[in-house]
Amino acid sequence: MDLSREVFASLRRSDQRRTADQYLRGMLTVPGRKTARNIATHSGEAAAEQRFHHFIASSGWDWRPVREALVGFLERTAPPAAWVVRPITLPKTGERLVGVDRRWVPELGRTVNGQFGYGLWQTSSSGEIPVNWHLDLPDSLLGDPAERARAGVPADYAAPVSPEDSTVATALELPLRRASPYRPVVVDARRGALVPLLSRFEAARVPLLARISGATRVLAGEGMTRQQPVMARQLLCSTGVRRPVTRADGCRMAVALRVSLPPGTGEESGGRRGGLRERLLVGEWFGPQAAPDRLWLTDLTTVPLSALLRLTELAGGRSAGATPEDRPESGSVGRSGLHDYGGRSFAGWHRHMTMVSVAQAVRTLAPREPDAAAAQGRPAERKGGPRPRRRTAVPV
């Protein structure tokens, strides 16, 4: 079964499924912005613009089953190594578009007028594919019944009230039943409330690898002499035992220590130290400095350090949004239409972003185009470097 037929199977009417397939093909072939007008024009069927617009903005199909079907397809064709929640910033010039607000973005170092939210990325050896989306809605919209109605926000929609709530909603809205101790959710927890985040994932029984601030206070695990809460970076600096690890992103030093959160932080899970569950604190050094470059907290306490570092290499550096170039908006998903929804409909935004996910799955998993030599039946001349990675054939 091809990808389009499988992921759009939940659309009840055959004309919806046909339009979805045409829209997807347009998103993959149209240069520039992926809008209903451009897709219709590029297809040579200008009259289809209204049909494409209706399909995204006001059609009644539910995007959730489509996203779940995409996850199921990817399970078979590109099994995930981890799931990564990342913030997204989509700059916009208009002020009437759904969800538009003004916000300071630390990673960009400036205030941005745009849409803000989160995406859930599946990461595997084949690449990274977004599979779920969350759009933050400003209080000015949520608190105004007329604005809510104009944007089509359901009356019973309860918006997350904090960054950690948004992170949890993005990660756990889809059924991550396939998640195992080797397929955790990776998040950046340096700016939100850590304990509620840990507790929600623990309650869902979904393993978590969270990047934390060096100022996070922890208790050293059993066998350590410290009995008072101490900053995580201070504890890591005091250990003196670091292991050299060579990975694809360079040689680094690392250490892992068992820790727990201090009493009174609100974590009430069953563990060994005063009812608090032990976790693993991981520090990574990329240079000779005393303080670690990155710190992580995880409930994967039995996973070898080398395996944890593979996860941080796969998903950790960019999950933190260290530089503008690392942000998902700057990657190939931007060419799949990430920035291109210009409507006022809450449901329309989600439908468009769902189509972005499907298009990006095709781009990521499709075989690479053969070069001219291969097209003529001659093997391409290799100029050194690693052999190109084979990709799974994904018929649209």
Side-chain angles (χ1 to χ4, degrees):
M1 179 182 293
D2 61 46
L3 183 148
S4 179
R5 186 182 308 164
E6 179 171 342
V7 300
F8 298 132
S10 62
L11 276 62
R12 296 181 180 180
R13 303 199 312 268
S14 60
D15 63 311
Q16 287 181 321
R17 296 191 294 272
R18 184 168 55 254
T19 299
D21 184 77
Q22 293 171 341
Y23 199 92
L24 173 62
R25 292 177 185 275
M27 294 185 78
L28 293 169
T29 57
V30 170
R33 299 187 66 218
K34 311 304 188 286
T35 64
R37 173 174 295 180
N38 288 348
I39 292 174
T41 301
H42 189 266
S43 69
E45 189 181 353
E49 178 184 348
Q50 185 61 33
R51 176 163 54 89
F52 289 150
H53 176 79
H54 174 79
F55 174 73
I56 294 296
S58 53
S59 181
W61 62 275
D62 188 350
W63 59 86
R64 297 174 188 86
V66 177
R67 296 179 187 178
E68 291 183 18
L70 176 61
V71 169
F73 180 90
L74 295 176
E75 270 293 298
R76 299 193 311 276
T77 58
W83 309 89
V84 187
V85 179
R86 295 181 176 131
I88 57 171
T89 300
L90 308 177
K92 299 291 181 180
T93 55
E95 297 181 355
R96 303 295 294 177
L97 305 182
V98 62
V100 165
D101 195 11
R102 290 186 62 81
R103 184 180 300 182
W104 172 261
V105 180
E107 295 84 2
L108 300 178
R110 57 186 174 88
T111 299
V112 175
N113 185 81
Q115 296 167 331
F116 305 90
Y118 293 82
L120 177 66
W121 265 253
Q122 177 198 284
T123 65
S124 71
S125 59
S126 298
E128 299 182 335
I129 299 170
V131 295
N132 200 30
W133 302 98
H134 165 76
L135 176 64
D136 283 345
L137 297 177
D139 292 340
S140 58
L141 186 155
L142 291 172
D144 187 331
E147 286 296 319
R148 285 182 67 116
R150 189 174 294 112
V153 179
D156 59 351
Y157 175 74
V161 297
S162 65
E164 58 273 14
D165 286 342
S166 297
T167 297
V168 171
T170 306
L172 301 184
E173 182 180 39
L174 296 180
L176 297 183
R177 54 187 177 275
R178 71 224 133 255
S180 72
Y182 299 100
R183 296 180 182 180
V185 173
V186 183
V187 304
D188 187 345
R190 289 176 295 172
R191 294 189 178 89
L194 179 61
V195 170
L197 184 73
L198 299 179
S199 299
R200 296 278 295 279
F201 277 94
E202 184 178 325
R205 297 186 177 182
V206 174
L208 184 68
L209 180 63
R211 187 171 182 183
I212 63 171
S213 165
T216 302
R217 302 186 72 81
V218 298
L219 279 171
E222 292 183 359
M224 300 287 287
T225 58
R226 294 180 182 271
Q227 299 299 319
Q228 297 298 320
V230 62
M231 288 190 295
R233 63 169 172 264
Q234 182 180 349
L235 180 63
L236 289 169
C237 289
S238 67
T239 178
V241 181
R242 304 176 191 173
R243 290 174 49 187
V245 181
T246 302
R247 300 299 309 161
D249 57 357
C251 185
R252 68 180 103 167
M253 305 295 290
V255 66
L257 302 172
R258 284 182 176 267
V259 300
S260 60
L261 298 180
T265 58
E267 191 179 44
E268 300 291 342
S269 56
R272 283 186 282 170
R273 305 219 30 218
L276 297 178
R277 178 175 178 172
E278 280 196 340
R279 301 178 187 272
L280 205 62
L281 174 65
V282 178
E284 297 180 87
W285 286 260
F286 294 91
Q289 72 281 357
D293 292 281
R294 301 195 303 215
L295 295 86
W296 303 87
L297 196 64
T298 181
D299 50 4
L300 302 174
T301 56
T302 61
V303 175
L305 178 58
S306 58
L308 289 175
L309 292 179
R310 282 195 294 271
L311 290 175
T312 67
E313 176 186 319
L314 179 67
R318 281 189 279 181
S319 70
T323 66
E325 291 74 18
D326 282 336
R327 296 178 65 82
E329 301 92 314
S330 301
S332 63
V333 70
R335 296 190 292 274
S336 293
L338 182 68
H339 297 269
D340 297 339
Y341 182 69
R344 301 183 181 183
S345 166
F346 176 74
W349 186 89
H350 275 285
R351 293 191 191 103
H352 175 83
M353 297 299 278
T354 300
M355 297 301 294
V356 169
S357 292
V358 180
Q360 184 62 16
V362 176
R363 291 182 189 277
T364 302
L365 301 179
R368 292 183 176 181
E369 292 295 330
D371 59 20
Q376 297 174 10
R378 295 182 287 107
E381 180 182 355
R382 293 185 63 199
K383 298 183 179 180
R387 185 179 299 275
R389 183 171 58 206
R390 296 185 63 186
R391 295 188 181 274
T392 306
V394 183
V396 178

